[in-house]
Amino acid sequence: MEYYKIIAVTGLSGLFELVSSKSDGAIVRSLEDKSTKFVSSRVHNFSHLESIEIFTEKDNVNLVEVLNAMDGSKEKLPDEKDAAAVKKYFEKVYPEMDFERVYSSDTKKMVRWFKVLKANNVEFKLRETEPEEEETVEVEKETKTAETTTEIKAPKK
């Protein structure tokens, strides 16, 4: 399962794999019980995990960076219901986190999501989008060259 296909849906607990999207919503599969259902975009909002950022003392970081730190840590995962234990865990695992702006409910959610993602063997890795950007740059260069050529040919005696 690919990390970029994982979404959170407002009003529904847990994480979902985006199976298909439609103009009025999406078909999603729960990572916990594997049930598939249609979720209306009129009622719910969708957040790709790739787009979620975490506040730190310096710059915001992508959620995947925190998940990778959790994955590489030797610290035992705390019970997500114990706010003090969760905060102490993140102080050791990701001390740069800005605990004044990251709520305890968010840190609890990260622990819960981490467990679900690990249970589903999801690799914490962002999609690479560089090849598309390179193609866009090449097209722009070709267009500018064509415009320049047109301008040179345009003047008449």
Side-chain angles (χ1 to χ4, degrees), residues 47-70:
S47 298
H48 285 273
L49 292 194
E50 274 191 330
S51 66
I52 296 175
E53 291 189 339
I54 306 299
F55 293 115
T56 65
E57 293 171 357
K58 294 180 182 175
D59 294 327
N60 296 348
V61 297
N62 195 289
L63 174 63
V64 76
E65 193 172 316
V66 176
L67 293 172
N68 279 321
M70 293 170 72

Side-chain angles (χ1 to χ4, degrees), residues 115-155:
K115 289 177 182 177
V116 171
L117 292 169
K118 288 300 281 182
N120 285 277
N121 298 318
V122 175
E123 184 181 0
F124 308 126
K125 182 179 171 186
L126 296 175
R127 265 190 303 189
E128 295 179 17
T129 57
E130 291 179 26
E132 291 177 16
E133 291 174 6
E134 289 174 6
E135 289 175 17
T136 305
V137 172
E138 289 174 19
V139 170
E140 287 176 8
K141 286 179 184 175
E142 290 174 14
T143 305
K144 287 180 183 177
T145 306
E147 289 172 3
T148 306
T149 306
T150 306
E151 289 175 17
I152 293 171
K153 291 180 181 178

Side-chain angles (χ1 to χ4, degrees), residues 16-28:
F16 299 87
E17 177 184 11
L18 181 62
V19 176
S20 177
S21 61
K22 298 181 171 235
S23 61
D24 58 344
I27 298 173
V28 298

Side-chain angles (χ1 to χ4, degrees), residues 42-104:
R42 295 179 191 156
V43 179
H44 303 280
N45 291 320
F46 307 100
S47 298
H48 285 273
L49 292 194
E50 274 191 330
S51 66
I52 296 175
E53 291 189 339
I54 306 299
F55 293 115
T56 65
E57 293 171 357
K58 294 180 182 175
D59 294 327
N60 296 348
V61 297
N62 195 289
L63 174 63
V64 76
E65 193 172 316
V66 176
L67 293 172
N68 279 321
M70 293 170 72
D71 194 31
S73 173
K74 294 178 181 173
E75 294 290 322
K76 183 182 176 199
L77 278 175
D79 177 20
E80 69 244 17
K81 295 176 183 168
D82 184 359
V86 170
K87 184 176 181 182
K88 187 181 280 189
Y89 170 79
F90 278 107
E91 286 173 345
K92 292 178 183 176
V93 173
Y94 209 86
E96 301 87 24
M97 190 179 294
D98 187 346
F99 294 100
E100 291 180 12
R101 296 191 298 169
V102 177
Y103 300 121
S104 64

